[in-house]
Amino acid sequence: MLQVLYLVHDLSDPAVRRRVVMLQVGGAAVTLAGFRRSHDPIAEVAGVMPIDLGKTSDGRFAQRLAAIAQAALSLGTTLKNVAKPDVIIGRNLEMLALANRARAIFSGGAEDVSIVYECLDVHRLLLRRDLAGRAIRSAERAFARNASLLITSSPAFVRQYFEPFGQMGMPVELVENKVLELGRGPEQKIAPSSLPGAGPAAGEPWKIGWFGALRCRRSLELLSQFSRRMEGRVEIILRGRPAYTEFDDFDGFVAAEPFMQFHGSYRNPEDLPRIYGEVHFSWAIDFFEAGQNSDWLLPNRLYEGCRYHCVPIAMQGTETSLFLKELDIGYVLSRPDVGELTALFDRLDGKSYEHARARVAAQDTRKWVCNEDDCSALVGRLRQLAPMGHGAVVQVAA
């Protein structure tokens, strides 16, 4: 069985659980170690008892660097009872640095442990043109020199960052942020009760769901102004994990909004049919790092919403809008303002919504879902990197 050491920057991130499950279902034995953003230790992730490297804080880069340095110094002791891995996956740059340290500990200088760099976001610090930016990119190139594979979730990260900045010296594996569905084929139909209807009943509002990592202040303000202008004809439903460092007072702001509700966190994928069944549209817009990472990513909510036939709303000029254009689904705003949103909903009726929803529903479900076969394929690609693996690694995305 392939032995994988998975190093992550936030054990409490639901996406970490999904990746661990994918690796396990694919046939790998997973050892999980990482930092956490939660106050309390994480007892288990998908049945794995994680190795807690300590608490870090979102947005505090210096504190995270100090935590990485401290963890690197004690990593030999921390991992002393861990079986030697075949592959070490470092989820983002700081964990790639620890992956190199772990490889040195386990291999003793020999090249018999492979490193995989998993990069699902390109931090704005990496894109700076000043001395600090060049220094961080140089560090990334140095740490990635020992990596055999890059896993990323959007082709735009490669096209807009890794290739033009010269950060790539390895094959690329595109693993999109699809909904993990196990135990049934992706061709199986969803129960009608799990899906939004053709539109709201008479007198009821349209509902836009903004779910997942809530970190965009501009989206929050835009949706607030828009829902107020619509005077109850549109409601905004928020679910997930707010990045409280990005808002002055997220809870107070939402509580004061007459047409906006926050319903807390949810289980992924267990709660997805229910929560997307309660809304008509999925907000697939993020201005958090506009012009950079936010324009390049293909977010979880895109796949989740479309899986349950919610109509996505995206922003023109982003990778998400290109994705939707290729499939001819969803709505794309040309400008990020209240007037643009208002014009969209002023011309919306049950018939036009049902047409838009039907176009989403007509897509091949495999666009939105990964299953057991995808898990096996991922672990199979990792197995090729192991010392006893066979065959070359194939570049599947560019």
Side-chain angles (χ1 to χ4, degrees), residues 27 49 83 100 128 131 181 204 350 368:
M49 184 180 298
N100 277 265
R128 288 171 52 163
L131 182 60
E181 286 190 5
E204 292 296 313
W368 322 121

Side-chain angles (χ1 to χ4, degrees), residues 253-378:
F253 184 97
V254 174
E257 289 298 309
F259 311 114
M260 182 179 288
Q261 304 168 40
F262 175 55
H263 294 299
S265 61
Y266 57 92
R267 297 174 302 163
N268 186 339
E270 292 87 349
D271 292 339
L272 297 184
R274 176 180 60 82
I275 67 174
Y276 281 100
E278 295 172 354
V279 299
H280 304 97
F281 299 90
S282 173
W283 186 256
I285 294 176
D286 184 356
F287 304 107
F288 179 64
E289 292 179 347
Q292 299 178 345
N293 187 74
S294 292
D295 286 4
W296 304 337
L297 54 77
L298 293 173
N300 292 291
R301 59 180 68 96
L302 169 65
Y303 300 89
E304 294 169 0
C306 288
R307 173 54 175 140
Y308 295 101
H309 304 178
C310 285
V311 179
I313 301 174
M315 192 69 234
Q316 189 173 25
T318 64
E319 189 71 10
T320 299
S321 71
L322 295 177
F323 186 94
L324 297 180
K325 182 179 179 181
E326 182 178 343
L327 299 176
D328 192 22
I329 61 173
Y331 293 108
V332 175
L333 305 181
S334 60
R335 299 186 310 276
D337 61 39
V338 173
E340 183 85 359
L341 268 172
T342 303
L344 169 61
F345 279 81
D346 279 345
R347 62 178 182 266
L348 188 70
D349 57 24
K351 184 176 180 179
S352 60
Y353 172 75
E354 178 56 28
H355 177 73
R357 175 179 171 270
R359 295 194 68 84
V360 176
Q363 300 300 313
D364 186 341
T365 311
R366 290 175 177 83
K367 282 283 185 184
W368 322 121
V369 167
C370 65
N371 61 10
E372 289 90 343
D373 290 341
D374 299 298
C375 298
S376 296
L378 174 61

Side-chain angles (χ1 to χ4, degrees), residues 46-98:
V48 177
M49 184 180 298
I51 299 171
D52 192 330
L53 300 179
K55 185 179 182 301
T56 57
S57 300
D58 192 22
R60 296 181 58 190
F61 192 67
Q63 188 261 345
R64 286 162 59 185
L65 283 179
I68 289 290
Q70 183 176 357
L73 289 174
S74 59
L75 199 61
T77 302
T78 303
L79 300 177
K80 65 179 180 180
N81 294 320
V82 172
K84 182 176 181 178
D86 301 300
V87 176
I88 302 172
I89 303 175
R91 187 182 178 98
N92 84 7
L93 177 54
E94 60 206 71
M95 305 315 291
L96 177 63
L98 279 188

